[in-house]
Amino acid sequence: MSDLSLKATPSTGFYNIIVSGKSFNLSTTALYSDSPNYFTDVFSSPLEESRTKIMFVDRDPEVFKDIVKHLQGYYVTPRDENHYADLISDATYYNLMKLKAQLRANYIVNVGGKVFRVDKEILEKRDAPNFFTSIGFGYGWEPSGIPPTPLPLTIPPPILDRDPELFSDILRYLQGYEIGIKDEVHRQNLLKDSRFYHLKGLTEKLLASSMTVNGFAKEESARNEILFRLKDIRPASVLLPENNNNNNQNNNDDILSDEIATGSTSHIMYKNKEGTVYVLLVEIHNIHLICRYGAPSSPMTATTTPITNPATPTNLSRMQPLVRPILELVLSDKDVQKLKNIAKSIKASEEIVTIIRSPDTCAFEIDGSMCSLEALSNTDKLSHLMKNDDGNRYLKLYVTRSILRLITNNSKVEMEMLKCEAFSSERGFNCKREFLPDEKRIAL
């Protein structure tokens, strides 16, 4: 038998509840419409209030007007985030569980000065768990438990210092609509807020990516590749093949074997929200590539070799002595930090190797023309572009964009260049500049 059944049920009639000096009369039916609660507990107890049918409460009478409407059977709709917080606070104080459930079904939140009414079901049915289900509406804005006796509660209104227009786009996504990306700035801002709200599905959709099947991969497990801009990669989704042996939920477990690892060298992989694993490729923009040739008498000099690659520019296609260059990327601080974060996530050394691997299959484009690695090794034809540093010759290329495959070698992150678009001089760069489109007449 419950404790409530041991208490005397109030007699029929009306009860007078005086809230901070303002009197409200409520019937027994109204009091019990959302019970048990603070009022039914007091009026059915041996206390004096049970006999006099009068109760004094030190709360806000304006908020209590809405409490009365709720107890009388009306639907109470919060006006804004402050009213919402007040209603939640008093619903907790009076232990009105039905009112709390009603309020929690439709959240009211102020985002950047604009008030949104959000259906709880929308927040929970797509891309959950997220900020709203795990953090935002369960922490700080409502007590985690109901106190045993009514106590003054201070619940701050739900206010987020984020962009309201971006939040509108995110709500449309949660409602099942597609988001129209206006430009790259819009995409980047949406990406930033989708990460703030912990919306992993939306984050992956916003990432500029491309998936390919590499039919030339030596191992079947390394055929599936995914390309991201380096700045967009989420380190938590990066892994090494052997770091995910417990994944047995899909057919991509073969990727997690040691087949793609040779000795201490492994591809770095990317795992999406669905659990699919890919070989990770990254795209980097606006960096420099230093081709180091050493001194003229350096032992790096190779034997004379004919260059017959039909894709090689004609000015580099004669038989010349070749010196295989050492290629080194000059990365921005942000790029280096991102690579360090990736290294940290896979428990590799945070010492990033900037000397890159460049296989013969790398697609070099220099000054708008395809160029083989052999042609890039032709020191005689490149002599007019060479610079000298204490007797060591080098060529400095400006790389507008490059595709790299990330690997680990002896616990260090290294890069293998797959494609590179670069310029050897400012003149070559200027030749590729484009004019603005012609002005269009607008009929008024």
Side-chain angles (χ1 to χ4, degrees), residues 304-317:
T304 301
T305 306
I307 300 173
T308 58
N309 189 333
T312 301
T314 57
N315 65 329
L316 297 177
S317 60

Side-chain angles (χ1 to χ4, degrees), residues 305-376:
T305 306
I307 300 173
T308 58
N309 189 333
T312 301
T314 57
N315 65 329
L316 297 177
S317 60
R318 299 175 186 175
M319 183 177 293
Q320 299 291 346
L322 304 181
V323 178
R324 186 86 171 197
I326 296 175
L327 305 181
E328 181 178 4
L329 285 178
V330 181
L331 301 171
S332 68
D333 291 342
K334 288 185 178 180
D335 288 340
V336 171
Q337 186 57 53
K338 176 65 77 170
L339 288 170
K340 286 184 177 181
N341 292 341
I342 291 174
K344 186 177 181 180
S345 70
I346 59 175
K347 298 181 180 179
S349 169
E350 293 186 37
E351 179 185 349
I352 306 301
V353 179
T354 56
I355 303 296
I356 63 170
R357 301 183 179 205
S358 183
D360 293 332
T361 56
C362 178
F364 279 102
E365 181 183 300
I366 300 179
D367 297 330
S369 300
M370 295 303 296
C371 178
S372 68
L373 186 59
E374 286 181 319
L376 194 59

Side-chain angles (χ1 to χ4, degrees), residues 82-315:
N82 293 300
H83 188 213
Y84 174 81
D86 290 343
L87 285 172
I88 284 283
S89 180
D90 273 15
T92 303
Y93 182 90
Y94 298 124
N95 196 21
L96 300 169
M97 301 307 294
K98 290 182 181 178
L99 177 57
K100 279 190 63 176
Q102 175 186 309
L103 292 170
R104 298 292 278 158
N106 291 279
Y107 296 126
I108 306 294
V109 57
N110 183 319
V111 181
K114 184 176 180 179
V115 177
F116 292 85
R117 189 184 310 277
V118 187
D119 190 332
K120 179 181 179 183
E121 184 179 354
I122 291 175
L123 299 175
E124 293 181 343
K125 73 179 181 180
R126 187 175 189 185
D127 225 341
N130 52 52
F131 172 87
F132 310 105
T133 61
S134 304
I135 303 174
F137 294 110
Y139 178 77
W141 295 343
E142 180 184 353
S144 58
I146 300 173
T149 57
L151 296 173
L153 298 172
T154 301
I155 300 176
I159 298 176
L160 294 173
D161 187 17
R162 309 299 293 182
D163 187 291
E165 298 305 319
L166 294 175
F167 189 73
S168 295
D169 289 334
I170 288 172
L171 274 185
R172 286 184 58 80
Y173 161 76
L174 292 173
Q175 290 168 338
Y177 297 102
E178 297 296 327
I179 300 176
I181 305 298
K182 301 172 185 176
D183 50 36
E184 178 60 18
V185 173
H186 185 215
R187 187 187 73 85
Q188 287 290 337
N189 287 335
L190 276 171
L191 183 60
K192 185 182 298 184
D193 270 18
S194 69
R195 284 171 169 162
F196 174 83
Y197 296 123
H198 299 186
L199 298 169
K200 293 182 180 180
L202 177 58
T203 297
E204 289 193 353
K205 288 178 180 293
L206 290 169
L207 289 174
S209 63
S210 175
M211 288 176 285
T212 55
V213 177
N214 183 359
F216 297 96
K218 294 181 179 179
E219 301 292 342
E220 181 70 22
S221 56
R223 287 167 57 91
N224 294 325
E225 301 173 335
I226 190 165
L227 171 66
F228 288 108
R229 293 190 180 101
L230 178 61
K231 64 180 180 180
D232 287 343
I233 293 176
R234 184 171 174 264
S237 298
V238 175
L239 66 154
L240 286 177
E242 58 270 23
N243 284 357
N244 202 28
N245 287 328
N246 292 328
N247 182 5
N248 53 12
Q249 299 177 359
N250 55 59
N251 294 330
N252 293 282
D253 289 347
D254 292 340
I255 296 179
L256 306 178
S257 67
D258 291 332
E259 293 178 358
I260 66 171
T262 305
S264 59
T265 301
S266 298
H267 292 131
I268 293 178
M269 317 297 285
Y270 182 88
K271 182 179 179 182
N272 67 9
K273 184 184 177 184
E274 285 72 32
T276 307
V277 183
Y278 303 85
V279 172
L280 176 62
L281 310 180
V282 299
E283 183 175 315
I284 302 181
H285 293 216
N286 304 324
I287 56 175
H288 284 96
L289 177 64
I290 308 298
C291 307
R292 302 190 185 278
Y293 297 89
S297 59
S298 171
M300 289 192 303
T301 303
T303 58
T304 301
T305 306
I307 300 173
T308 58
N309 189 333
T312 301
T314 57
N315 65 329

